[in-house]
């Protein structure tokens, strides 16, 4: 199970990125535990200023805007296709 | 090129009468849509490539510790280029405060960022030409510069919510990214798709309204708005524009129609700026970090600066 946190307040982009992560992970059978962090103080403690931010396994993977599917998949590279360099 | 295409589609293929009001409106609509979507996609893509190099986190590091003048200048220019959705304004505000960047500089950034953006610039370039585009950008920069300075005179620190000062943000993390062109290209394409998906309806609606006014705008309205000596026109346009919120995109075609029908440039620019600069949703979000007195003051300062700029343009142009 990979811990994934979406950092962001209640905005359209934050909802969109949550949906996208869920979709990509279910398509590639990657088991994740998705959590939404809405508390400003906690968001700031990750040192990002542009939301939505994404934390994968305790590391900041993304900040600001909506990434494409390939980028999302690349966050999980080590669990989906560690040896396949063409995957993401 | 786009005019020829529109003429062909509307007058030759659809067989509308080129001298009728309907024909004129439809031709205008088709021409603007083709032109704007073409430029929009091209320019958003190029800006997206450029943006893959900057982020608010980098802006913060860059502005931190600079003298106030150069901090403000860089904050404004970076604000004009950095996108952030209004839900990011709180983290950005806190991040700037925490970095010790003066509040006045932060406000300059917050004014510049929504007002000057590539979408507005494309729409202006495509619809009203480069001269007014330059005027719009320059006035946006001026409002951001002086708005921030005036804001500072009121010592807004006293209005910042207590908890903001206590937040210690984590070490700004650099997200590990591949720096190759392929990744940047993918980012830029993703951004283009996302922005176009988000705004295409508004553009069509805006162009539709513009086209409608193009054929049907009542001449008397235009005349009463269009008198440059009528100093009331600018404040009136701004007061109408402040509560409207449409991120400039939908308004620009309307602005074109206003200009064509003889509304003065200053009045039109002021109207557009007032819609872009102040958005009620953003103010409500900022309320989390700063008291309403500061927000009212912020709104008042921006309103007055826009009115002054509008009047100045009306007088000198």
């Amino acid at each position: 199970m990979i811990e994934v946190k979406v950092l962001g307040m209640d905005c359209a982009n934050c909802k969109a990125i949550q949906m996208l992560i869920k979709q990509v992970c279910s398509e590639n059978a990657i088991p994740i535990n998705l959590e939404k962090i809405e508390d400003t103080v906690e968001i700031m403690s990750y040192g990002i200023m542009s939301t939505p931010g994404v934390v994968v396994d305790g590391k900041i993977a993304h900040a600001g805007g909506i990434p494409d599917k390939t980028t999302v998949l690349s966050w999980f590279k080590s669990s989906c296709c560690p040896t396949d360099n063409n995957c993401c | 090129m786009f005019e020829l295409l529109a003429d062909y589609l509307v007058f030759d293929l659809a067989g509308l009468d080129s001298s009728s009001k309907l024909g004129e409106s439809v031709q205008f609509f088709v021409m603007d849509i083709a032109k704007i979507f073409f430029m929009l996609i091209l320019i958003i893509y190029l800006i997206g490539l450029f943006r893959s190099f900057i982020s608010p986190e980098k802006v913060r590091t860059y502005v931190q510790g600079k003298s106030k003048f150069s901090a403000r200048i860089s904050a404004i220019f970076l604000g004009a280029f950095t996108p952030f959705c209004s839900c990011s304004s709180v983290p950005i505000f806190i991040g700037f405060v925490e970095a010790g960047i003066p509040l006045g500089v932060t406000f300059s950034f917050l004014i510049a960022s929504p007002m000057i953006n590539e979408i507005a610039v494309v729409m202006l370039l495509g619809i009203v030409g480069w001269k007014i585009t330059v005027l719009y950008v320059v006035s946006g920069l001026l409002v951001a510069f002086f708005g921030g300075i005036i804001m500072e005179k009121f010592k807004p620190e006293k209005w910042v919510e207590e908890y903001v000062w206590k937040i210690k943000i984590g070490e700004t993390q650099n997200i590990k990214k591949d720096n190759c062109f392929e990744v940047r290209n993918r980012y830029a394409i993703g951004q283009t798709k996302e922005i176009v998906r988000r705004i295409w309806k508004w553009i069509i609606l805006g162009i539709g309204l513009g086209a409608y006014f193009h054929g049907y705008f009542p001449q008397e309205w235009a005349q009463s708005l269009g008198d440059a000596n009528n100093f009331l026109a600018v404040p009136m346009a701004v007061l109408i524009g402040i509560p409207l919120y449409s991120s400039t995109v939908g308004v620009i075609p309307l602005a074109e129609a206003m200009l064509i029908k003889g509304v003065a440039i200053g009045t039109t620019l002021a109207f557009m700026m007032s819609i872009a600069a102040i958005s009620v949703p953003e103010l409500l979000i900022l309320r989390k970090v700063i008291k309403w007195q500061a927000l009212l003051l912020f709104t008042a300062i921006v309103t007055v600066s826009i009115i002054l700029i509008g009047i100045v343009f009306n007088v000198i142009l």
Side-chain angles (χ1 to χ4, degrees):
Chain A
M1 207 58 131
I2 305 171
E3 292 294 325
V4 181
K5 288 177 184 152
V6 171
L7 316 174
M9 277 141 252
D10 204 23
C11 72
N13 277 351
C14 305
K15 287 193 190 101
I17 207 167
Q18 262 181 303
M19 297 296 290
L20 183 69
I21 294 173
K22 274 185 200 157
Q23 194 195 346
V24 168
C25 289
S26 70
E27 278 170 8
N28 293 279
I30 303 166
I32 55 160
N33 188 14
L34 190 63
E35 195 189 344
K36 176 90 185 290
I37 309 279
E38 296 195 350
D39 178 54
T40 319
V41 179
E42 201 178 341
I43 293 175
M44 300 303 296
S45 72
Y46 285 96
I48 62 156
M49 295 198 300
S50 22
T51 54
V54 178
V55 179
V56 178
D57 258 344
K59 279 195 264 336
I60 297 274
H62 173 82
I66 303 196
D68 65 358
K69 282 188 171 183
T70 322
T71 311
V72 173
L73 197 56
S74 72
W75 305 336
F76 305 103
K77 188 173 164 63
S78 56
S79 51
C80 74
C81 43
T83 51
D84 180 5
N85 284 328
N86 295 323
C87 138
C88 32
Chain B
M1 174 171 91
F2 298 106
E3 194 165 0
L4 286 178
L5 175 75
D7 281 348
Y8 173 72
L9 285 175
V10 176
F11 301 137
D12 297 344
L13 270 188
L16 288 172
D17 179 2
S18 63
S19 57
S20 70
K21 276 185 174 177
L22 179 69
E24 200 184 322
S25 284
V26 174
Q27 187 257 8
F28 180 86
F29 183 72
V30 172
M31 180 176 74
D32 268 6
I33 290 210
K35 187 165 64 180
I36 291 195
F37 276 98
F38 175 78
M39 291 179 65
L40 204 60
I41 290 170
L42 187 73
I43 294 192
I44 296 179
Y45 171 78
L46 291 176
I47 296 264
L49 274 186
F50 175 70
R51 263 185 196 157
S52 62
F53 294 90
I54 55 172
S55 67
E57 290 79 7
K58 284 189 191 154
V59 173
R60 173 176 177 267
T61 322
Y62 188 76
V63 173
Q64 192 172 19
K66 284 227 159 48
S67 79
K68 217 175 241 178
F69 179 77
S70 52
R72 192 183 309 277
I73 298 284
S74 15
I76 290 171
F77 277 97
L78 294 165
F81 275 109
T82 329
F84 69 90
C85 86
S86 57
C87 44
S88 281
S89 23
V90 163
I92 288 176
F93 187 91
I94 296 176
F96 276 37
V97 165
E98 210 256 357
I101 295 167
L103 276 186
V105 172
T106 307
F107 278 112
S108 287
F109 178 85
L110 289 176
I111 299 173
S113 194
M115 200 149 54
I116 306 171
N117 60 69
E118 77 279 16
I119 302 166
V121 169
V122 172
M123 300 279 287
L124 282 169
L125 271 178
I127 296 184
V128 292
W130 67 270
K131 277 184 202 145
I132 292 176
T133 310
V134 171
L135 280 180
Y136 177 84
V137 171
V138 169
S139 3
L141 296 175
L142 287 176
V143 172
F145 189 84
F146 290 107
I149 290 182
I150 299 167
M151 196 70 200
E152 211 161 80
K153 299 283 180 246
F154 289 89
K155 309 229 174 309
E157 287 77 9
K158 58 179 175 284
W159 289 311
V160 174
E161 295 288 352
E162 234 7 80
Y163 80 96
V164 172
W165 302 109
K166 298 195 184 107
I167 294 179
K168 280 280 156 276
I169 75 171
E171 186 66 26
T172 301
Q173 299 199 17
N174 277 324
I175 298 157
K176 195 179 111 349
K177 267 190 197 152
D178 297 323
N179 290 321
C180 60
F181 176 76
E182 201 205 310
V183 173
R184 296 190 190 282
N185 178 42
R186 217 165 59 200
Y187 171 84
I189 291 178
Q191 273 222 325
T192 312
K193 277 192 199 152
E194 200 231 310
I195 294 177
V196 171
R197 196 184 55 221
R198 204 177 47 200
I199 63 176
W200 68 270
K201 311 186 220 26
W202 301 109
I203 296 182
I204 292 182
L205 185 73
I207 296 172
L209 268 179
Y212 178 77
F213 281 116
H214 194 84
Y216 301 95
F217 199 74
Q219 205 61 45
E220 315 83 70
W221 286 20
Q223 262 153 14
S224 63
L225 276 168
D227 186 357
N229 295 322
N230 180 1
F231 275 85
L232 269 179
V234 177
M236 251 169 52
V238 171
L239 289 181
I240 296 170
I242 293 280
L244 295 179
Y245 172 49
S246 87
S247 73
T248 54
V249 180
V251 195
I252 293 169
L254 189 61
E256 180 194 24
M258 286 164 75
L259 288 172
I260 289 172
K261 296 295 172 178
V263 178
I265 291 178
T267 313
T268 312
L269 279 176
F271 180 63
M272 279 171 13
M273 280 192 282
S274 64
I275 290 177
I278 302 280
S279 87
V280 176
E282 195 188 317
L283 289 180
L284 289 177
I285 290 171
L286 279 175
R287 173 64 195 86
K288 286 186 189 155
V289 283
I290 193 157
K291 296 204 165 65
W292 60 266
Q293 291 95 319
L295 296 176
L296 274 185
L297 185 66
F298 175 71
T299 310
I301 290 172
V302 175
T303 308
V304 172
S305 333
I306 292 175
I307 291 176
L308 288 179
I309 285 193
I311 292 177
V312 169
F313 278 147
N314 277 355
V315 171
I316 60 173
L317 290 174

